[in-house]
Amino acid sequence: GLRVTVLLTSSLMVLGAGLRCVPVSNLEIRKKLIHGGQLLNGLAGPTVMNAAPFLSTTWFSPDERATATAIASLLNYLGCAGAFLLGPLVVPPPNGSAHLMSLSNTQHIKDRIEAVLYAEFGMVSLIFSAALAYFPSRPPFPPSVAAASQRLSYRRSFCRLLSNFRFLMIALAYAIPLGVFSGWSGVLDLILTPIHVSQVDAGWIGFWSIVGGCVVGIAMARFADFIRGMLKFILLLLLSGATLASTWFTLTCLTTVTHLPLTTATLYTSCILLGIFLNSSVPIFFELFVETVYPVPEGISCGVVTFLSNVFMGVLLFFLTFYHTEFSWFNWCLPGSCLLSLLLILCFRESYDRLYLDVVVSV
């Protein structure tokens, strides 16, 4: 149920954030505590990333599900948007060797980092307290036929997913571009540094791209609730826009070859459009996964695709450890992944099994 899962998730976050704040003078022990805290926080991640479709099915009617999925999944991205601003605004960058050699400046940076860690610990503790006080597993009455129906077991669910070619097709269509984009956006300041964009500007670019993606994603989900059966069409529009925006950004960074204008406005516009198109596709993908493989539980289907997305992100970052002096190959991975996803969605044959059950049985 949702209550036990959310309590377990938030308790892992509290414990993980607390370990990072333990004031130990031994740097080796402190490093181990921070790694342990990050591990616990990572273990809590699947619920945050995958529970949105299950939450919307359990609590909302068929004409509200896509909107509920969008709000629940994209609020997590707003936290990421806040992180883009929080780091550069609270913690000053150690620019230049003179600053690095300054003991007082180093201590100031350490103090600011600890302030961020304490603030995060306070926030997750507040969330855990709220969930402990009130977070029911389900409503008194199921809002739809699908919410009350029986689901497949874990074993049968995985067998169904691995044998469903259509699911594997859209799972790759989701995992490849979103995994590449997650890895790319995580090192955005490094990518923009060679073209003389500051850390603060990179943070603002990441912030507005995520905020824009949240707004557009919720609007698209609301449109999908009003006009059902349009999930594939919406994804085609979003991925086409992502392909064009990522190609524009990549060509702009190669200004010595393409002679395109390299300005702050063009970088902001291309990056923000890319984030809007890709981030807003997440809830639409989630709803399409659930519709395609129903009655597989929502958490399992979305968990599998999130795992695949993390695998692609990890592989990309692994290569980055070897090829970190020049980032043009990293930028070209973006339009390539978006184009591949667009082709997969074009070939995908959509179906709405869960919606069909709600409509037919209700009638």
Side-chain angles (χ1 to χ4, degrees):
L2 282 170
R3 177 173 174 80
V4 174
T5 306
V6 169
L7 287 176
L8 177 62
T9 297
S10 54
S11 63
L12 287 172
M13 292 168 63
V14 170
L15 185 57
L19 285 178
R20 299 187 307 177
C21 297
V22 177
V24 179
S25 57
N26 189 306
L27 292 180
E28 192 63 30
I29 298 177
R30 184 74 185 272
K31 182 172 69 173
K32 292 179 180 179
L33 288 174
I34 291 175
H35 277 284
Q38 294 296 96
L39 176 63
L40 292 174
N41 189 69
L43 292 175
T47 301
V48 178
M49 293 183 285
N50 305 323
F54 180 51
L55 177 72
S56 63
T57 300
T58 304
W59 282 89
F60 295 91
S61 61
D63 59 345
E64 300 171 328
R65 278 197 296 242
T67 306
T69 298
I71 293 173
S73 60
L74 293 177
L75 281 179
N76 177 43
Y77 285 80
L78 282 181
C80 298
F84 272 110
L85 291 186
L86 196 63
L89 293 180
V90 178
V91 183
N95 295 323
S97 58
H99 287 280
L100 289 174
M101 295 299 292
S102 171
L103 184 62
S104 61
N105 184 68
T106 304
Q107 186 59 44
H108 177 64
I109 292 176
K110 288 182 179 180
D111 293 340
R112 302 305 292 174
I113 291 175
E114 289 185 355
V116 173
L117 296 180
Y118 282 121
E120 291 178 349
F121 176 67
M123 285 188 287
V124 295
S125 299
L126 181 62
I127 292 171
F128 174 72
S129 302
L132 187 63
Y134 182 77
F135 196 99
S137 288
R138 60 185 62 86
F141 303 100
S144 64
V145 175
S149 62
Q150 191 71 23
R151 304 303 169 89
L152 298 180
S153 64
Y154 280 99
R155 182 178 179 181
R156 291 185 62 191
S157 296
F158 280 109
C159 292
R160 175 77 68 88
L161 293 179
L162 295 177
S163 61
N164 191 328
F165 179 75
R166 292 193 306 123
F167 170 75
L168 295 177
M169 182 185 296
I170 57 170
L172 290 176
Y174 168 86
I176 294 175
L178 268 298
V180 171
F181 179 70
S182 297
W184 177 84
S185 60
V187 293
L188 183 60
D189 56 335
L190 296 178
I191 293 173
L192 295 178
T193 296
I195 51 180
H196 309 293
V197 176
S198 69
Q199 173 185 279
V200 175
D201 283 334
W204 278 110
I205 289 173
F207 173 80
W208 286 116
S209 65
I210 293 176
V211 171
C214 293
V215 174
V216 175
I218 294 173
M220 287 293 182
R222 196 68 195 132
F223 173 76
D225 278 331
F226 277 120
I227 305 177
R228 302 174 190 177
M230 298 288 288
L231 296 179
K232 177 181 176 179
F233 176 74
I234 294 173
L235 285 177
L236 288 175
L237 292 178
L238 295 177
L239 290 171
S240 298
T243 303
L244 294 175
S246 57
T247 304
W248 181 18
F249 172 82
T250 303
L251 293 177
T252 301
C253 291
L254 297 174
T255 182
T256 55
V257 178
T258 61
H259 302 290
L260 290 175
L262 178 60
T263 63
T264 303
T266 57
L267 288 175
Y268 263 75
T269 305
S270 57
C271 287
I272 290 173
L273 285 176
L274 175 61
I276 287 175
F277 289 128
L278 283 181
N279 290 327
S280 60
S281 70
V282 172
I284 308 299
F285 266 117
F286 279 177
E287 285 295 298
L288 190 59
F289 295 145
V290 176
E291 295 287 354
T292 302
V293 300
Y294 184 85
V296 173
E298 293 85 352
I300 295 179
S301 58
C302 295
V304 168
V305 297
T306 303
F307 170 76
L308 286 176
S309 176
N310 287 334
V311 167
F312 282 104
M313 178 180 65
V315 170
L316 197 67
L317 294 178
F318 175 76
F319 280 106
L320 186 62
T321 61
F322 297 100
Y323 305 101
H324 56 272
T325 57
E326 203 271 331
F327 293 99
S328 62
W329 68 272
F330 206 168
N331 291 334
W332 278 113
C333 288
L334 272 174
S337 63
C338 294
L339 181 60
L340 177 59
S341 177
L342 179 61
L343 295 176
L344 289 172
I345 293 297
L346 275 172
C347 299
F348 174 72
R349 180 176 56 84
E350 59 185 331
S351 63
Y352 297 89
D353 300 339
R354 182 183 59 172
L355 181 61
Y356 177 81
L357 177 68
D358 283 327
V359 173
V360 172
V361 175
S362 297
V363 172

